[in-house]
Every structure is written in structure tokens, then in C-alpha cells.
Amino acid sequence: MDIGNNKSKDIKDDLIEKIAQNPSEESNYVELGKIYIAEADYQNALGVYESLLKINPINFQALVNAGSLHFFYKNINKSIDYYSRAAEIESKSFSVYMNLGNAYAELGQFDQAMRNYEKALKLEPKNAALFNAIGLLFQDRKDYLTAIVYYDKAIKADEKDAETYINKASAQMSMHMYKEAIKSLKHSVELEPTNLKAMICIANCYASLKDFESADKYFEKCYQIDDKAYQVYVCHAIAYSDANRIDMAISKYKEAVSVAPNMPNAYILLGNIYVDRKMFEEAIEYYKKASAICPQDAKIYSFIGNTYF
């Protein structure tokens, strides 16, 4: 018998009964919402906070929590509505402006996002997470130099955050600054030696520099971290193709397929290689496997059609 789960159920049942008997008592909603959040039962948590807001439309924490849950469910406009109402109640809340900035950034509304990030900056001018978010905002605009400026500010505020170094490297890679990106990524690996994303990026950087020996070494490190990571096999195959080691590329794509048979990209890339080799039957075989996974993808059918002709 799971005593902990039974106890949690008893507490929830008790709170639900209390809410039914006295729906105006806000503390019961708050406590019930906390339990649902702790259990990762976000749908019921959202229902509780929205019920509370019917009782008290200006409950600040309920507005923030409902906004965050709508953001989680990608209901971004609803998220913005709740956060904006929270900001009207508490105009000095860093988290509300940060969350509003993130929500507008999700919609690609740069000016609105930046306006809210600037309000957050006035409240916490040295917040690393905020600098990182602003960096991502500029990176989405392809303003990579400004993005790097903000990533550097984030690193200055918190030099122990491995993800910031990866974000900085991503901007550097977008500008083909592969050597600089490798330095950033190695900082990330120093902080998190098993960070697979950083390892893949280092391997890709070396491949872009045509240093395929170093790329191979880092791909091997990736397999040591996770030998079931589909992305590693695909990236390794692409590196082999760039090195004109086509047989090795084919082998890696086939390993990718065995690791994740329901992912279409490896099938398509294998088909492309076979087309280049004028092995058209094999190419069509792999394109058809990709189309079975993504039957609505017109691009795959164009590959098949081009192969026939």
C-alpha cells in the first residue's frame, strides 16, 4: 500500500469538500493547487486557480500561477492576459515582467517582449536568467552580436550556468565563429561533463572546421553519454558526408534508423545519398519509409517523384 499517495488523496478530498462547503475561503484553493502542482497534475491545478479567480479576480498568486500554466500549455494569449492582470495588481514584481517578456517572445513580438524585459531589468539589474532571455530574444531576430553581449552579461552574473555558454556558442556558430564556439562549449562541458547538447555542438563545430578527426572523438564521447541519442547518429552521418566518407555516413544513418525508427530525417537523408549514387530503388525505398511516418509532408513525395524522373 502506498501510504504517501493515500495521505495525499485524503488531503485533496478534504480540501475539495471544504471548497464545496465554503467556496469563498481562498486558502483552500491555494493549498489544493499546491498539491496538484507537486503531483505534476497541471490540468487540475489550472482548474483550481481559475475557480479561485472566479471568487476573487484579483488574487495575485492565482493570476501568476494560471498564467504560468497556460504558458506551459502553449495558450500564450491567455498567459499574457493573466500576467498582465497580475502586473496591474503588483507593479514591482520581477517575475511577472520576466514571464510577460517570455510570453511575448514566444509570439515573436519583439518590442513587447523587450518592453517587459526592461521593466524586469529595472527591478533586478544583474539577473542572469533575464540577460539570457534577452540574448535569446535578439538571437531569434538574428542579431547575433547583440545576443552575445547579453549572454556575456549573463555569464558575468552567473558563470556557473552551463546553458548560457551553449546559447552563446549557438550565436557564434550562426556567424561561423566555430573556434570561438568551441571555447564557449568547452566551458559548458567543464561545468557539466555529461552535457550531451554541448558535446554534439563541439563535434559539429569541428566538422564545420573540417577537423574530422576531432569531430569523431567528440561524437564518440557523445555515444558514451547516450548511445541511444538519435541526433548524435544523424549529426555524425552528416559529418561523414561532409568528409566524403559516404559508406560511413550510410552506416551511421542506418544506426540512427535503428535507434529511432519513427523519425523521418535519417530515411530522407539516406534516400538523398542513394540518389547521388544513382541507386534509385534504394532511394525510393527510404523515401517511402519517411512518407509512411509523415504522410502529409509534400516535400517527401517530391523527392520520390524526382527520383522516378
Side-chain angles (χ1 to χ4, degrees), residues 223-282:
Y223 298 128
Q224 291 170 16
I225 296 169
D226 183 358
D227 64 358
K228 301 297 183 185
Y230 172 80
Q231 187 182 1
V232 179
Y233 291 98
V234 171
C235 289
H236 203 173
I238 292 170
Y240 278 135
S241 289
D242 290 343
N244 203 31
R245 298 171 67 184
I246 305 303
D247 287 336
M248 291 297 292
I250 290 171
S251 175
K252 283 298 172 187
Y253 282 132
K254 288 182 176 180
E255 288 183 72
V257 165
S258 69
V259 166
N262 293 321
M263 297 291 284
N265 288 354
Y267 294 108
I268 294 170
L269 293 168
L270 265 170
N272 293 346
I273 286 178
Y274 283 124
V275 167
D276 289 340
R277 289 191 156 189
K278 302 190 184 308
M279 298 170 66
F280 300 118
E281 289 185 8
E282 290 85 349

Side-chain angles (χ1 to χ4, degrees), residues 8 18 33 41 51 59 65 88 96 101 165-167 176 193 245 263 278 300:
S8 175
K18 286 180 178 178
D41 186 351
S51 295
N59 185 295
N65 291 350
E88 290 174 4
V96 168
Y165 292 101
I166 295 174
N167 291 341
H176 308 290
R245 298 171 67 184
M263 297 291 284
K278 302 190 184 308
I300 300 172

Side-chain angles (χ1 to χ4, degrees), residues 31-229:
E31 291 306 311
L32 183 58
K34 287 179 181 177
I35 293 172
Y36 282 132
I37 291 291
E39 294 176 344
D41 186 351
Y42 301 128
Q43 197 64 55
N44 272 323
L46 179 58
V48 168
Y49 292 127
E50 291 189 328
S51 295
L52 172 52
L53 288 168
K54 290 176 183 176
I55 304 298
N56 178 8
I58 60 170
N59 185 295
F60 175 77
Q61 198 57 53
L63 287 167
V64 173
N65 291 350
S68 297
L69 288 164
H70 275 298
F71 186 89
F72 175 79
Y73 284 115
K74 302 298 182 184
N75 302 323
I76 307 301
N77 287 318
K78 284 188 177 181
S79 170
I80 288 171
D81 176 58
Y82 282 113
Y83 288 143
S84 297
R85 287 161 59 187
E88 290 174 4
I89 297 164
E90 177 51 74
S91 62
K92 300 293 184 184
S93 171
F94 168 84
S95 63
V96 168
Y97 291 122
M98 174 83 168
N99 291 342
L100 268 170
N102 291 341
Y104 280 116
E106 190 76 12
L107 293 178
Q109 296 184 21
F110 176 88
D111 292 338
Q112 287 277 39
M114 198 63 205
R115 191 172 296 119
N116 282 283
Y117 285 148
E118 285 171 348
K119 289 178 181 178
L121 268 176
K122 289 179 181 177
L123 297 168
E124 293 192 20
K126 295 182 179 180
N127 187 286
L130 177 56
F131 287 135
N132 209 2
I134 296 173
L136 289 169
L137 184 67
F138 278 102
Q139 188 164 344
D140 285 343
R141 272 195 136 195
K142 303 189 187 307
D143 184 349
Y144 302 117
L145 286 174
T146 305
I148 289 170
V149 168
Y150 279 98
Y151 293 141
D152 282 336
K153 288 183 178 184
I155 290 166
K156 186 176 180 180
D158 179 9
E159 61 183 17
K160 300 296 184 184
D161 183 13
E163 193 66 25
T164 305
Y165 292 101
I166 295 174
N167 291 341
K168 180 179 177 181
S170 175
Q172 290 167 324
M173 290 167 72
S174 296
M175 294 190 293
H176 308 290
M177 298 167 59
Y178 299 114
K179 290 181 181 179
E180 292 82 355
I182 288 169
K183 289 179 183 177
S184 298
L185 291 162
K186 286 184 175 180
H187 280 299
S188 180
V189 171
E190 285 173 9
L191 294 166
E192 294 182 4
T194 59
N195 190 309
L196 185 62
K197 188 195 300 186
M199 287 289 194
I200 293 172
C201 289
I202 292 173
N204 287 339
C205 283
Y206 277 122
S208 296
L209 291 169
K210 308 299 181 187
D211 183 352
F212 297 112
E213 183 178 348
S214 295
D216 269 349
K217 288 178 181 177
Y218 274 90
F219 281 125
E220 290 304 324
K221 290 181 180 182
C222 291
Y223 298 128
Q224 291 170 16
I225 296 169
D226 183 358
D227 64 358
K228 301 297 183 185

